[in-house]
Amino acid sequence: MAFFNEVSKIRYEGKESRNPLAFKYYNPEEVINGKTMKEYLRFSVAFWHTLTGSGSDPFGSGTMQRPWDGKAGIELAKERALAMFEFCEKLDIPFFCFHDRDVAPEGETLAETNQILDEIIAVIAERKKSSDVKILWGTANLFSNPRFVHGAATSCNADVYAYAAAQVKKAMEATAALGGENYVFWGGREGYETLLNTDMQLESDNFARFLQMAVDYAKEIGFKGQLLIEPKPKEPTKHQYDFDVATVMGFLRKYGLESYFKMNIEANHATLAGHSFQHELHLARINGVLGSVDANQGDALLGWDTDQFPTNLYDTTLAMYEIIKNGGLHSGGLNFDAKPRRGSFEPIDLFYSHIAGMDAFAKGLKVAAKLLETGDLENFINERYGSFRYGIGKDIVEGKTDFKSLEQYALKNDRIINASGRQEMLEAILNRCILEV
Ligand code: XLS
Ligand code: NI
Ligand code: NI
């Protein structure tokens, strides 16, 4: 059964092509730095946006026209699961990601909900046998149902906490059963609105206990995938606990959980936290916790998670720069946590938007590889910090100084000479690379 009949397999036609249903830069088998583009980029489709997203917003109902319109319940869930495979295959996208509640509807009770989920997971597992499409990560939706009004693992209600644990247990089992390569924790409503009613200390401690139980359970069921935490500073709660990479690292270190988790970094969450996408990737990379990426972009004029498809070449280039320096994404990938705008409501817009994002990252990969090959930025930085390779700088780096010895040095050397940071010259080098590649 085909869902997207008007589209056949999308092919690479090169940058001269004017065909909107062709790749201009994404050439899956092209080798960059010893790896194919497909291996480097590890693209993934987000089930929640692409298959279940309706286009509704706070002011109006859904606008999306989809091949499965008119279906409901389990039948709808099955159609969407099958459509996901066709969609990925047509775009040559090797992975998809899902929440438990995207792929299957909830039943009346938790037991019934679990049973429905099992039924759909079996459909996915069966279809997977005849496909190369794999699961990048699974996760649990601990935010949509009204029971999570005060959070899940940070709820004030112990019954909700237990329910959330049961749900994550099941979602981990489902992810493991499908061979998922990672499991993600996005702290949906893990945060608070006001300290007038919140015991932040208890909520943090409980959150850490929850994550420890998840670590233990993953081990118990032999789940080998990487556990990931996805930072986000706000929305839906005013103060989300997993604010950004630095905050999450501090939290994990406080509770001795740092060796079990890496980060799933979302571009639009970085900008909501007042950081650039590259900042978050870079910080994670130098701390060995760059795990995976939710590839989207926000709008600088809007203060919320607009989840747009990534088309900004500066951002994709600098992201790929970090990813190449990270030695690739390892078990992670570039998951399009992005949705076409509400006005782009036809099924074919799903193809246009993924092609736009894939080409933007493929171009970013090529430019970043070129930038690294020329060494222009690396050499500049290397030289900029040259003073730490000899004399007093070398002593500082080797831990051989103290305040007294540094004072002695400074007293004899107060004619300090600084060099220009050359920001604009470097920005022009970046521009030249984008235009040339
Ligand atoms: C929401 C998050 C969410 C996670 C998965 O802002 O990005 O979609 O990626 O729960
Ligand atoms: Ni996300
Ligand atoms: Ni998001």
Side-chain angles (χ1 to χ4, degrees):
M1 192 194 334
F3 295 91
F4 304 102
N5 286 314
E6 75 273 39
V7 181
S8 38
K9 194 166 162 72
I10 307 298
R11 312 225 172 253
Y12 170 71
E13 290 185 4
K15 63 180 173 184
E16 303 307 325
S17 169
R18 293 294 171 264
N19 175 5
L21 287 173
F23 297 122
K24 320 296 180 301
Y25 291 92
Y26 182 57
N27 185 7
E29 302 312 323
E30 186 177 331
V31 176
I32 311 268
N33 270 352
K35 269 192 225 184
T36 66
M37 278 199 181
K38 194 169 179 174
E39 286 165 342
Y40 243 123
L41 297 163
R42 293 172 62 84
F43 287 128
S44 160
V45 176
F47 206 104
W48 54 101
H49 287 308
T50 297
L51 276 293
T52 61
S54 70
S56 66
D57 71 9
F59 302 96
S61 43
T63 56
M64 298 297 163
Q65 300 166 0
R66 296 292 179 251
W68 43 86
D69 286 348
K71 301 274 164 40
I74 296 190
E75 197 195 350
L76 171 63
K78 286 184 180 164
E79 294 235 325
R80 280 178 172 150
L82 299 177
M84 177 53 105
F85 281 91
E86 183 190 326
F87 188 72
C88 291
E89 285 161 359
K90 287 195 163 156
L91 279 159
D92 217 335
I93 293 186
F95 297 100
F96 70 87
C97 295
F98 70 100
H99 299 82
D100 47 3
R101 303 300 176 247
D102 310 328
V103 294
E106 289 196 49
E108 290 294 317
T109 61
L110 179 59
E112 195 194 329
T113 301
N114 285 347
Q115 203 186 321
I116 298 170
L117 184 59
D118 284 338
E119 194 177 333
I120 303 300
I121 295 299
V123 171
I124 297 175
E126 184 55 35
R127 178 63 177 81
K128 209 171 153 286
K129 286 184 192 159
S130 60
S131 177
D132 291 333
V133 175
K134 293 180 282 188
I135 310 301
L136 186 66
W137 49 261
T139 187
N141 176 332
L142 305 176
F143 42 92
S144 295
N145 192 291
R147 77 174 64 85
F148 299 119
V149 61
H150 300 309
T154 63
S155 173
C156 50
N157 183 342
D159 288 351
V160 174
Y161 188 97
Y163 193 101
Q167 202 179 316
V168 169
K169 174 179 176 289
K170 185 73 185 168
M172 280 187 142
E173 291 163 9
T175 305
L178 293 174
E181 301 194 13
N182 308 269
Y183 183 88
V184 165
F185 294 84
W186 170 58
R189 293 185 188 273
E190 314 297 19
Y192 69 93
E193 295 297 322
T194 171
L195 286 174
L196 295 177
N197 66 12
T198 302
D199 184 342
M200 196 200 277
Q201 176 147 21
L202 180 64
E203 292 198 2
S204 311
D205 292 349
N206 280 347
F207 196 16
R209 291 182 186 105
F210 194 93
L211 292 176
Q212 182 64 60
M213 288 188 265
V215 167
D216 295 343
Y217 192 65
K219 206 173 189 182
E220 196 176 322
I221 61 173
F223 177 63
K224 297 277 183 296
Q226 175 66 49
L227 302 180
L228 298 167
I229 293 186
E230 181 175 328
K232 184 177 187 181
K234 53 187 167 192
E235 202 197 25
T237 71
K238 180 171 169 178
H239 302 271
Q240 294 276 127
Y241 289 133
D242 295 331
F243 191 94
D244 60 2
V245 170
T247 308
V248 174
M249 279 191 315
F251 172 86
L252 293 173
R253 286 174 185 166
K254 172 177 176 187
Y255 292 100
L257 289 162
E258 68 275 17
S259 57
Y260 305 114
F261 294 89
K262 288 189 176 179
M263 308 285 164
N264 182 38
I265 294 166
E266 178 162 326
N268 204 167
H269 296 181
T271 50
L272 287 179
H275 301 306
S276 67
F277 184 23
Q278 188 189 11
H279 168 94
E280 289 291 80
L281 293 167
H282 189 99
L283 186 63
R285 175 173 69 74
I286 63 176
N287 282 282
V289 293
L290 172 46
S292 198
V293 171
D294 270 6
N296 61 13
Q297 72 184 28
D299 184 313
L301 303 183
L302 302 174
W304 69 90
D305 202 9
T306 57
D307 286 343
Q308 288 166 241
F309 274 85
T311 53
N312 182 317
L313 297 181
Y314 289 107
D315 289 341
T316 60
T317 297
L318 296 173
M320 289 316 300
Y321 195 81
E322 296 299 329
I323 291 167
I324 295 176
K325 290 194 66 157
N326 194 52
L329 284 163
H330 308 283
S331 74
L334 294 174
N335 172 50
F336 290 114
D337 192 353
K339 55 189 175 193
R341 297 304 82 193
R342 191 166 181 266
S344 308
F345 47 73
E346 294 176 9
I348 203 163
D349 290 307
L350 291 172
F351 286 87
Y352 291 144
S353 51
H354 281 82
I355 291 169
M358 292 165 79
D359 265 345
F361 266 96
K363 169 86 179 179
L365 169 61
K366 294 181 98 163
V367 179
K370 180 78 182 173
L371 267 175
L372 279 161
E373 189 191 302
T374 64
D376 288 347
L377 302 183
E378 300 289 285
N379 293 342
F380 186 85
I381 292 175
N382 210 23
E383 207 159 297
R384 188 162 185 241
Y385 293 87
S387 69
F388 284 95
R389 283 195 298 275
Y390 60 87
I392 192 74
K394 189 161 181 268
D395 287 349
I396 292 170
V397 169
E398 288 174 356
K400 290 181 183 156
T401 56
D402 58 18
F403 269 13
K404 282 181 287 177
S405 57
L406 289 175
E407 183 194 39
Q408 256 173 29
Y409 178 88
L411 284 170
K412 280 187 252 147
N413 185 58
D414 52 4
R415 288 203 47 217
I416 292 169
I417 301 161
N418 268 312
S420 166
R422 301 259 186 270
Q423 181 170 333
E424 300 76 7
M425 182 194 84
L426 297 168
E427 286 168 343
I429 289 176
L430 173 59
N431 276 355
R432 193 198 66 211
C433 241
I434 290 179
L435 291 170
E436 275 176 6
V437 171

